[in-house]
Amino acid sequence: MKVTVNTPNKTYDIIIDKLSQITIDSKVAIITNPKVSGLHINYLTNKLKAKELHIITLPDGEEYKNWQSIEYALDRLFDAKFDRNSTLIAFGGGVIGDMTGFAASIFLRGIKFIQIPTTLLAMVDSSVGGKTGINNKYGKNLIGSFYQPEAVYIDTHFLSTLDKREFAAGMAEIIKMAVMFDKEFFENIKKGNLTLEEMIKRSVELKAEVVNQDEKEKGIRSVLNYGHTFGHVIENLTNYKTYLHGEAVAIGMIMANELSRELGLLSEKEAKEIKELLEKHNLPTDFKIDDVDDFYNHFFLDKKTADNKIKFIIPEKIGRYKIVKDLDENLVKKVLKKFER
C-alpha cells in the first residue's frame, strides 16, 4: 500500500508494508529512545545499508521533548562530523518523530530525514505532513518548523510490542479523521469491517489530502485539530504525565462535541455514537476541571489562537466539520462547566 504526499515543496511516498531494504549513500543517524531501541533496533539495522551508521538515543516521553534533547542530538551529529548530505531516521513514536524532524530542519539549515514510526498514533498522524517541534513551559509544540521527510515507512510489525494504552491512543486519531471527513469510514470502524492496515491507509490518505491542500495550516489543515484545542489544555494542566496524547485528544473530542451540541449542530445520537466508539477502543471520555476560568485562559497559550481569538474545530455531523471563531466566552465556559469537578 502506498500513499503519496504532494506539497508545493516536496513529493514523497508513505509505504505501508513490511520494511524492505533501505540503502542510503551517506552518513546516517537513527534517532530513537531506549524502549524502541531495545525492542526493534536489530530489525531496522538488518534492513539498512549506509556509509556510516550512528545511533542516538534520547529519553522517552513528552517531558523530554525539549531543547536539551535537541542540543544533545545535534552535539552527537557535530561530534560525528555529519554534513549536508547526511540523513536522520526518526525511529519511534510521535515524540521522537517530532524531535528528529526538528533537528533535521535546523542542523546545517536542513538535512534529509526519514520517518519510521513505531506507534499507531505516529503512523496515522504525526509522521505524515511535516510538522516538527518541541514543547516548552508555555505549551506543546510551540517551537518548531514545517519540514517534510524524504519518505515514511509504516510497518505494523512494530505494533506487536505496543501496549494497549498506546494502541488505543492511535485509534483516537483514526476516529478523529473519520468523524471529520468520512462517515462511511466511521461506520466501517464501528462495524469492525476493516483490517488494521486498511484503517491506517484510509487515515493516511485523508491526512495526505489535507496536507496537499494546506501544508502550513492556513486553512483546512486546522481541521485536524478536532479534539486538540481542548486536549492540549488537558495535557498542559496535567504536565503531560497523566494522559497519552491520543487519550487527551479523545477527551477533547467529547468536549468539542458538547460545544457543537450547545451550538445546535451535532445531534445527541451522533455525539453518543462517537463517545461509544471511543469507549469501545478503551479511550477516556471524561475529565474533571478544577477551575473553569483557568482552563479557559489556557486556550490562549495554544499556537492556533490568533489575535486573541480561539478557533474551535467541531463536527457539524459525522463526516462534516465546522470551524468556529469568536464564540462568546460565557458559551464556552458553559460547556466547560459540564466537566467541572
Side-chain angles (χ1 to χ4, degrees), residues 39 134 154:
L39 290 166
I134 55 173
I154 294 174

Side-chain angles (χ1 to χ4, degrees), residues 76-309:
R76 300 294 73 75
L77 299 178
F78 286 118
D79 287 344
K81 298 183 170 55
F82 270 56
D83 58 32
R84 282 187 166 163
N85 296 318
S86 305
T87 301
L88 304 186
I89 293 178
F91 188 48
V95 170
I96 287 291
D98 282 5
M99 287 201 289
T100 304
F102 184 46
S105 78
I106 60 175
F107 182 76
L108 303 178
R109 298 205 177 111
I111 62 171
K112 294 175 181 176
F113 88 107
I114 290 167
Q115 287 270 20
I116 303 181
T118 59
T119 66
L120 182 58
L121 192 145
M123 288 175 184
V124 299
D125 187 53
S126 59
S127 70
V128 179
K131 273 190 181 180
T132 77
I134 55 173
N135 307 332
N136 66 3
K137 66 182 180 183
Y138 297 99
K140 189 164 170 160
N141 298 325
L142 295 178
I143 299 160
S145 58
F146 289 95
Y147 195 71
Q148 302 294 342
E150 298 302 301
V152 182
Y153 295 97
I154 294 174
D155 183 346
T156 55
H157 161 83
F158 301 120
L159 301 180
S160 62
T161 55
L162 199 64
D163 70 42
K164 285 179 181 170
R165 274 184 73 195
E166 288 276 6
F167 188 87
M171 283 305 303
E173 294 284 354
I174 290 173
I175 294 165
K176 172 198 85 175
M177 298 300 284
V179 174
M180 287 290 95
F181 300 110
D182 191 339
K183 185 173 171 62
E184 186 186 351
F185 184 31
F186 182 88
E187 292 298 328
N188 280 326
I189 298 168
K190 201 167 86 171
K191 290 170 186 163
N193 288 346
L194 303 169
T195 65
L196 180 57
E197 283 82 3
E198 285 169 336
M199 285 194 290
I200 291 170
K201 181 169 187 272
R202 185 63 189 135
S203 298
V204 167
E205 280 174 345
L206 289 166
K207 175 127 192 212
E209 282 171 26
V210 170
V211 172
N212 291 348
Q213 291 175 63
D214 178 24
E215 181 184 7
K216 298 200 172 167
E217 205 170 305
K218 305 283 189 226
I220 189 177
R221 187 164 181 174
S222 67
V223 174
L224 299 174
N225 296 314
Y226 167 50
H228 288 61
T229 308
F230 293 96
H232 281 170
V233 175
I234 291 166
E235 285 180 293
N236 192 281
L237 288 173
T238 54
N239 296 311
Y240 305 101
K241 287 178 180 165
T242 307
Y243 298 101
L244 297 172
H245 175 65
E247 293 173 333
V249 166
I251 300 167
M253 287 162 66
I254 297 298
M255 290 179 166
N257 293 354
E258 277 305 310
L259 182 58
S260 184
R261 299 257 303 113
E262 198 61 45
L263 291 166
L265 298 171
L266 189 68
S267 70
E268 188 180 348
K269 177 179 173 287
E270 289 202 319
K272 187 166 176 271
E273 279 183 67
I274 296 166
K275 187 176 184 184
E276 284 173 353
L277 189 56
L278 291 168
E279 288 174 346
K280 182 182 171 186
H281 289 281
N282 305 308
L283 285 156
T285 54
D286 193 29
F287 178 78
K288 295 296 177 226
I289 297 173
D290 288 321
D291 183 336
V292 164
D293 291 334
D294 184 48
F295 194 102
Y296 181 81
N297 289 332
H298 269 73
F299 286 134
F300 295 98
L301 295 175
D302 197 289
K303 61 191 170 303
K304 291 150 192 95
T305 300
D307 302 323
N308 257 2
K309 288 173 184 166

Side-chain angles (χ1 to χ4, degrees), residues 259 262-263 327-336:
L259 182 58
E262 198 61 45
L263 291 166
L327 288 182
D328 182 67
E329 180 180 333
N330 293 326
L331 176 90
V332 178
K333 286 183 176 176
K334 185 179 173 188
V335 170
L336 295 177

